[in-house]
Amino acid sequence: MPDDHPPRPRPAAADTGPRLAPLPEDRWDATTRELLAPIPRDADGRVANVFTTLVRHSGLFRHFLPFGTHLLRGGRLPDRTRELLILRTAYNTRAGYEWGRHVPLARAAGITGEEVRRVGAGPDAQGWAPADACLLRAADELHRDARLSAATWSALAADHDEAQLIEITMLVGQYHMVAFFLNSVGTPLEPGYAAETLPAPAEAGRDAAEGAHGDV
């Protein structure tokens, strides 16, 4: 009986590259070309690695793309709100690819370079407007607790309608899912985005500070 499933990937050796590499364009079949055709290409003429890797599962890709595209391009949230939530999720999940690809989108949405850097410091960092701090706190609570606290829900409800409240939770969940995929398969960030470095985790900064005091 023929096996309709693709071959299982061989285990990758440590530090030898991605576990699943982006599919080169000279290996795209007709289905792959159909699925990737609507995606805008980068300045170098290539389709982003996240798509050319995920398309290896063509059936999933076909259903994933409309949902992800709707959240990114057709959702109810303002661009700034969306990108703050995504950047904080990328930081929380240590998703360097997600961070690198979304920093330019965040800047296009009006998030300043200083604010991008401050995302890593979290909602309690000085300088955030209350509404922005609430968004970062929402991303943190969903990451940590898989739910919004009553206080955060109430604060968000003051500025967002029901559809937007639903979308906030779904957006953060979507980018967690994408981060799980990117981090697990080791999707490489394109050179044109490599300057957008994921901030070090706060714990690393505290550990370094404690180590410095301990050496005194």
Side-chain angles (χ1 to χ4, degrees):
M1 182 175 179
D3 185 358
D4 293 332
H5 297 285
R8 293 186 179 183
R10 296 177 180 177
D15 300 324
T16 59
R19 292 170 173 167
L20 288 177
L23 192 64
E25 190 161 359
D26 60 9
R27 290 181 54 195
W28 295 2
D29 60 17
T31 297
T32 301
R33 292 185 182 280
E34 173 205 343
L35 292 172
L36 294 177
I39 298 173
R41 294 183 178 237
D42 288 342
D44 63 2
R46 297 175 180 270
V47 176
N49 290 338
V50 59
F51 300 116
T52 55
T53 304
L54 186 59
V55 79
R56 288 178 175 276
H57 189 337
S58 59
L60 187 150
F61 187 98
R62 189 180 296 278
H63 295 284
F64 163 84
L65 190 62
F67 178 67
T69 301
H70 178 78
L71 285 174
L72 184 63
R73 303 296 183 194
R76 297 281 297 274
L77 297 174
D79 292 351
R80 177 184 173 88
T81 295
R82 182 193 68 235
E83 293 304 323
L84 280 173
L85 289 166
I86 293 172
L87 286 184
R88 186 60 180 175
T89 298
Y91 172 84
N92 284 334
T93 57
R94 311 309 301 153
Y97 186 97
E98 199 166 85
W99 178 273
R101 294 291 309 200
H102 276 272
V103 166
L105 296 177
R107 289 177 175 150
I111 299 172
T112 67
E114 194 281 327
E115 288 174 325
V116 168
R117 291 187 290 273
R118 200 192 308 151
V119 166
D124 296 325
Q126 291 186 347
W128 289 120
D132 290 342
C134 186
L135 292 171
L136 298 182
R137 188 167 293 109
D140 286 359
E141 289 179 358
L142 290 167
H143 176 71
R144 184 185 63 240
D145 304 324
R147 66 177 298 168
L148 294 172
S149 68
T152 298
W153 178 272
S154 294
L156 289 171
D159 298 317
H160 300 87
D161 63 26
E162 289 181 353
Q164 289 175 319
L165 290 170
I166 292 171
E167 195 166 314
I168 286 170
T169 64
M170 297 294 284
L171 179 76
V172 173
Q174 152 80 353
Y175 280 90
H176 270 80
M177 180 177 66
V178 173
F180 297 160
F181 162 69
L182 293 167
N183 291 347
S184 295
V185 305
T187 302
L189 185 60
E190 294 81 5
Y193 294 84
E196 311 297 353
T197 307
L198 184 68
E203 291 79 2
R206 287 197 295 268
D207 291 345
E210 290 171 2
H213 291 309
D215 292 337
V216 173

